[in-house]
Amino acid sequence: MKIIMLGAPGAGKGTQAEKLAEKYSIPHISTGDIFRANIKNGTELGKKAKTYMNVGALVPDDLVVDLVVDRFKDPDCANGYVLDGFPRTIPQAEALDAALMEIGETVDFAINVEVPDEKIINRMSGRRTCVGCGATYHIKYNPTKVEGICDNCGEKLILRDDDMPETVKNRLSVYHAQTQPLIDFYNKKDILAVVDGTKDMDDVFNAIVNILGE
Ligand code: AP5
C-alpha cells in the first residue's frame, strides 16, 4: 500500500504516519526527518537544506525528488510505504507519478489531515523532538514519562528550530501557497480522503484505518 500524508505543518502527519507504518508493516518515509538527519551529520545535503528549513522555506525540488525516489529501491519498500512531507509541490507530485509510472505503479491513497491554522500555532509551541531518534511528543497532548527525556532512547528533547512562532507562520504561508494545491491534484485522481485532525490522536488514527481498511 502506498500512502501520502497531506496536511499543514503540525497537522499530525508524522504522528499518524508512524502508527500507520507499524500497523501495515511498511516504512515511514519523512523527508523532514531525512533532512534533519543530514543536518545532524553535517553532510553537504544537510548544509544546503538547513538554509531553507531554518526560515520555513521549502528545500528546492531538485534536492528532494531523487532522494525519495532512490529510497523506494530499498527492499523494505517492496510492499509500499507511507510518505510524510513528500510530495510538497505540484512538480514533486508529478515527479513521483512519473517515477512510479516507470515501474507500472501508482499511489493508492492521499490522506489530508485537516487542522485550522490557529490550532497549528498552539500545537507547534508544545511539540518536543528527540535529538537522538527524532521521536515527536507534545508537552500536553502526548507527554513523555519523564519530562524532557525521550521514552524510546533516553536522549533529551528539544523545541525544533523551525517551531519558533515566527517560522511556523512562514511555514503555514508556504504550505498554503505551494502544498495545498496538492489536495485538488489528488482529488482529481480520486484517491483523496480527508480526516479531521483536530480530534484526539487515536480517533484520527481510527478514521484513517477506516479509509485504508484493516
Ligand atoms: P517536515 O518535518 O515535513 O515538517 P512539516 O510538514 O512542517 O510537518 P511537521 O513535522 O512540522 O508536522 P506534522 O504534520 O508531522 O505534525 P506532528 O505529527 O509532528 O519538514 C520540515 C522542513 O523540511 C520543511 O519546512 C521544509 O523546509 C523541508 N522539507 C521537508 N520535506 C520537504 C519537501 N518534500 N520539499 C521541500 N522541502 C521539504 O504533530 C505536531 C505536534 O502536534 C506534535 O507535538 C504532536 O504530538 C501533536 N499532535 C499530533 N496529532 C495531534 C492530535 N490529534 N491532537 C493533539 N496534538 C497532536
Side-chain angles (χ1 to χ4, degrees):
M1 181 151 42
K2 297 185 194 65
I3 310 162
I4 292 172
M5 300 304 291
L6 295 174
K13 304 179 296 293
T15 301
Q16 297 301 330
E18 196 63 51
K19 287 155 79 78
L20 293 169
E22 196 184 334
K23 176 167 177 67
Y24 295 105
S25 303
I26 50 177
H28 165 201
I29 302 176
S30 156
T31 40
D33 285 352
I34 294 172
F35 288 136
R36 281 185 287 279
N38 275 274
I39 292 171
K40 191 176 163 194
N41 295 329
T43 68
E44 276 312 306
L45 174 66
K47 283 177 197 154
K48 284 185 194 157
K50 191 176 179 179
T51 59
Y52 299 95
M53 291 170 75
N54 277 357
V55 293
L58 293 186
V59 176
D61 290 340
D62 59 330
L63 292 181
V64 186
V65 172
D66 291 350
L67 188 86
V68 179
V69 171
D70 271 354
R71 175 70 180 82
F72 294 163
K73 293 176 189 147
D74 291 345
D76 65 338
C77 291
N79 294 325
Y81 32 79
V82 48
L83 294 177
D84 162 17
F86 180 90
R88 224 175 178 106
T89 61
I90 296 284
Q92 287 182 19
E94 289 170 345
L96 172 64
D97 277 355
L100 289 177
M101 201 193 290
E102 266 183 33
I103 50 171
E105 295 181 0
T106 52
V107 173
D108 299 301
F109 295 96
I111 307 288
N112 182 29
V113 183
E114 235 176 17
V115 177
D117 287 9
E118 27 329 332
K119 290 218 172 184
I120 297 282
I121 311 262
N122 169 38
R123 272 195 194 176
M124 302 301 241
S125 60
R127 173 162 62 181
R128 295 293 179 270
T129 305
C130 173
V131 291
C133 68
T136 296
Y137 301 91
H138 192 282
I139 51 174
K140 184 169 169 201
Y141 306 118
N142 183 23
T144 47
K145 293 187 185 96
V146 178
E147 196 184 324
I149 301 294
C150 178
D151 288 348
N152 290 344
C153 71
E155 288 275 1
K156 71 171 183 172
L157 305 181
I158 53 155
L159 179 68
R160 257 168 54 180
D161 286 342
D162 60 347
D163 280 350
M164 303 298 173
E166 274 318 303
T167 315
V168 171
K169 280 184 198 153
N170 196 29
R171 286 164 66 195
L172 279 170
S173 58
V174 168
Y175 165 77
H176 290 300
Q178 300 194 52
T179 308
Q180 209 170 15
L182 292 178
I183 295 171
D184 199 35
F185 181 91
Y186 288 112
N187 195 21
K188 284 189 180 135
K189 289 181 182 290
D190 230 8
I191 57 167
L192 180 80
V194 182
V195 294
D196 180 354
T198 65
K199 298 263 195 297
D200 181 83
M201 283 176 208
D202 289 337
D203 293 340
V204 179
F205 180 66
N206 291 335
I208 298 175
V209 170
N210 272 338
I211 293 159
L212 304 181
E214 278 300 330

